[in-house]
């Protein structure tokens, strides 16, 4: 490939990453880029990683920094001398989020929070998840048509996150509005970029103040929920600062909401689009776990986070210079034929080993066990109780976000005729 063709392909891929909602499923583009080079240098000194082994290596490399990436992408949300002091303060707080830090700061915060998200701790929430899912399904069983995303996939993580944190449920609409507005900085929703930025800033300030007040109340009257556990989080005499605590609660709420809802919706869509795989789950509900794992490989809701090289380093034989950005393209790496047989097919009984749907290395998703519990319980029970499910439309527009997010998932039930 000559330099001109290389530049055209790099720009085409950069355009796709900027507007992924315009392309329903681009494995051909993944293959073209990977065939040229699984570690491909695109425009603007940005590297695109589409090979599985290279992605796995990049996730684990200490020279690729999330903190440096956050300084480029998050810090401009609130700049001293440019933005209001309240905005600068909340962005200072966001820079403490574990997804925006490197070791040793990352390790310290993760050690304080991780015990509350490990499998043993998450298992204690199983009864809550099952009760919630069954209650939602009781309502859907009476309907012949419904929006699976709005009426089921979203309520599961919303109710669970608020219940686990110990946040009053009557505030859920307000919190959901703040989360949606604050995520608008990475979303194209109409209006000018400045309008979107200002709305996101205001939402972040309002949400942070809400949690500061709530945490202050809980210090005076402790309960038995996750916020109380995080207040008391201690390791070798080290406690979270107030900003770190507020930031952790905001991160748990935001990170556990959209990605889990769309994991549930994407899994249902994959099963409806592959009737043979849906039949396997209906015959053996225990396969819902494998269906969720295959969705995390085949159509993960997360787009992953970029990194910036803080030193000259080598990934899969490619020299990456300090200051260059590295984008690990999750959906492409998870479709690598060197790792997975028939990678563009949705096959729930795969045995090729782990995928990268939750990342790996030190920044592997902290809430992955909770997301799995919610998604598996939701899919297993929905498939078991809602027979005759079909898509209500052939066209399913996706939200204009970097995530794999449907705008809605309208379904109908074709019930079997009663026999005399």
């Amino acid at each position: 490939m000559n330099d001109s063709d290389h530049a055209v392909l790099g720009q085409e891929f950069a355009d796709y990453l900027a507007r992924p909602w315009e392309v329903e499923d681009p494995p051909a583009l993944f293959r073209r880029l990977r065939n040229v080079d699984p570690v491909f240098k695109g425009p603007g000194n940005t590297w695109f990683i589409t090979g599985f082994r290279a992605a796995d290596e990049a996730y684990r490399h200490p020279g690729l920094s999330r903190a440096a990436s956050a300084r480029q992408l998050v810090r401009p949300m609130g700049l001293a001398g440019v933005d209001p002091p309240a905005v600068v303060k909340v962005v200072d707080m966001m820079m403490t989020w574990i997804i925006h830090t490197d070791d040793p700061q990352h390790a310290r915060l993760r050690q304080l929070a991780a015990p509350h998200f490990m499998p043993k701790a998450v298992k204690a929430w199983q009864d809550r998840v099952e009760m919630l899912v069954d209650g939602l399904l009781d309502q859907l069983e009476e309907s012949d048509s419904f929006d699976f995303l709005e009426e089921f996939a979203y309520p599961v993580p919303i109710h669970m996150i608020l219940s686990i944190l110990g946040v009053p449920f009557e505030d859920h609409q307000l919190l959901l509005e703040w989360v949606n507005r604050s995520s608008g900085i990475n979303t194209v929703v109409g209006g000018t970029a400045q309008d979107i930025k200002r709305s996101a800033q205001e939402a972040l300030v309002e949400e942070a103040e809400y949690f500061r007040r709530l945490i202050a109340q809980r210090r005076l009257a402790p309960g038995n929920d996750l916020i109380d556990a995080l207040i008391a989080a201690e390791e070798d005499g080290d406690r979270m600062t107030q900003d770190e605590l507020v930031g952790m609660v905001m991160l748990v709420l935001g990170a556990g909401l959209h990605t889990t809802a769309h994991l549930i919706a994407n899994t249902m869509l994959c099963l409806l689009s592959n009737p043979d795989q849906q039949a396997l789950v209906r015959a053996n509900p225990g396969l819902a776990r494998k269906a969720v794992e295959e969705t995390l490989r085949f159509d993960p809701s997360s787009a992953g986070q970029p990194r910036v090289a803080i030193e000259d380093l080598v990934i899969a034989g490619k020299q990456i210079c300090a200051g260059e950005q590295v984008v690990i393209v999750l959906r492409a790496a998870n479709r690598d034929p060197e790792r997975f047989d028939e990678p563009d097919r949705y096959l729930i009984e795969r045995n090729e080993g782990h995928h990268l749907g939750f990342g790996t290395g030190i920044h592997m998703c902290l809430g992955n066990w909770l997301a799995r519990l919610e998604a598996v319980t939701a899919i297993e029970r929905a498939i078991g109780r809602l027979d005759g499910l079909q898509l209500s439309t052939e066209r399913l527009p996706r939200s204009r976000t970097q995530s794999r997010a449907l705008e809605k998932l309208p379904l109908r039930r074709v019930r079997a005729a009663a026999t005399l």
Side-chain angles (χ1 to χ4, degrees):
M1 172 176 284
N2 60 41
D3 290 346
S4 176
D5 291 339
H6 186 285
V8 169
L9 179 57
Q11 188 60 56
E12 182 180 352
F13 200 75
D15 290 343
Y16 158 68
L17 292 178
R19 297 182 296 276
W21 56 87
E22 294 183 355
V23 182
E24 179 60 26
D25 199 6
L29 182 55
F30 292 165
R31 284 193 296 270
R32 287 169 55 205
L33 198 71
R34 192 187 301 111
N35 288 341
V36 173
D37 201 321
V39 183
F40 184 101
K41 191 168 187 179
N45 290 323
T46 297
W47 293 84
F48 303 136
I49 297 184
T50 56
F52 185 93
R53 283 188 290 182
D56 188 71
E57 182 181 353
Y59 269 125
R60 300 174 189 275
H61 201 295
L64 290 175
S65 168
R66 283 291 304 132
S69 179
R71 286 193 292 271
Q72 291 183 1
L73 301 176
V74 178
R75 180 73 270 174
M77 282 281 290
L79 295 173
V82 176
D83 296 297
V87 172
V88 176
K89 181 176 176 59
V90 80
V91 174
D92 287 343
M93 179 269 295
M94 290 173 63
M95 295 296 288
T96 73
W97 290 5
I98 58 174
I99 63 170
H100 297 154
T101 58
D102 300 327
D103 287 342
Q105 174 74 343
H106 172 271
R108 184 182 72 84
L109 290 172
R110 196 173 182 103
Q111 285 170 1
L112 291 169
H116 310 291
F117 295 95
M118 291 296 99
K120 183 177 180 180
V122 168
K123 188 171 178 59
W125 297 328
Q126 175 134 16
D127 289 345
R128 288 197 214 184
V129 178
E130 292 176 355
M131 185 180 303
L132 168 61
V133 167
D134 286 340
L136 293 168
L137 290 172
D138 287 344
Q139 300 173 42
L140 292 186
E141 276 188 320
E142 304 301 317
S143 302
D144 288 327
S145 62
F146 47 84
D147 182 349
F148 186 84
L149 179 62
E150 186 69 24
E151 298 178 58
F152 184 72
Y154 259 116
V156 172
I158 290 172
H159 283 73
M160 281 306 303
I161 288 293
L162 297 187
S163 174
I164 289 168
L165 284 171
V167 175
F169 184 72
E170 57 265 27
D171 294 336
H172 77 281
Q173 289 290 0
L174 191 60
L175 290 163
L176 185 58
E177 178 195 347
W178 287 331
V179 170
N180 287 336
R181 284 170 54 203
S182 63
S183 64
I185 197 64
N186 295 317
T187 307
V188 178
V189 291
T192 66
Q194 192 60 35
D195 290 339
I196 295 169
K197 178 180 178 179
R198 185 164 53 249
S199 178
Q201 289 173 329
E202 291 170 353
L204 286 166
V205 170
E206 292 166 8
E207 184 184 352
E209 287 306 311
Y210 171 91
F211 281 118
R212 289 186 198 281
R213 292 192 300 271
L214 181 61
I215 289 168
Q217 294 168 7
R218 300 296 277 275
R219 289 189 189 278
L220 296 174
N224 191 33
D225 297 303
L226 183 56
I227 285 179
D228 304 288
L230 291 173
I231 290 172
E234 190 168 2
E235 181 75 18
D236 296 330
D238 183 24
R239 290 184 181 274
M240 291 184 184
T241 67
Q242 177 77 353
D243 279 353
E244 289 169 348
L245 178 56
V246 173
M248 182 66 73
V249 175
M250 290 177 67
L251 180 60
V252 168
L253 175 65
L257 181 56
H258 290 301
T259 54
T260 302
H262 289 289
L263 172 58
I264 295 169
N266 288 356
T267 302
M268 180 56 76
L269 177 59
C270 285
L271 290 171
L272 292 174
S273 303
N274 296 273
D276 59 329
Q277 303 302 295
Q278 181 187 165
L280 291 175
V281 178
R282 288 194 178 278
N284 180 3
L287 288 175
R289 185 172 305 277
K290 299 199 69 150
V292 168
E293 294 301 320
E294 177 66 347
T295 303
L296 285 162
R297 182 199 71 84
F298 182 82
D299 198 15
S301 56
S302 173
Q305 291 96 24
R307 285 149 169 77
V308 170
I310 54 175
E311 61 187 41
D312 293 346
L313 54 89
V314 176
I315 296 292
K318 293 293 182 179
Q319 179 72 49
I320 297 175
C321 297
E324 294 181 330
Q325 187 179 70
V326 174
V327 177
I328 302 168
V329 188
L330 279 181
R331 295 185 67 238
N334 277 337
R335 301 273 190 113
D336 188 343
E338 290 190 5
R339 174 68 178 181
F340 300 102
D341 293 334
E342 300 183 276
D344 296 327
R345 291 188 63 194
Y346 182 80
L347 302 170
I348 68 174
E349 294 184 299
R350 290 184 179 276
N351 294 303
E352 290 112 326
H354 78 280
H355 53 73
L356 296 174
F358 284 121
T360 191
I362 68 168
H363 280 287
M364 184 174 182
C365 176
L366 182 63
N368 75 89
W369 295 109
L370 176 59
R372 284 179 161 112
L373 172 63
E374 294 178 54
V376 170
T377 304
I379 292 299
E380 180 177 337
R381 280 168 147 71
I383 289 293
R385 292 182 57 180
L386 303 176
D387 59 326
L389 285 177
Q390 294 182 0
L391 292 171
S392 296
T393 178
E394 293 183 1
R395 184 177 180 275
L396 292 170
R398 294 192 175 269
S399 297
R400 296 188 172 196
T401 71
Q402 299 304 308
S403 301
R404 288 287 289 175
L406 294 165
E407 286 188 354
K408 57 182 64 178
L409 183 55
L411 303 182
R412 64 171 179 262
R413 295 181 68 192
V414 179
R415 303 176 189 264
T419 57
L420 297 179

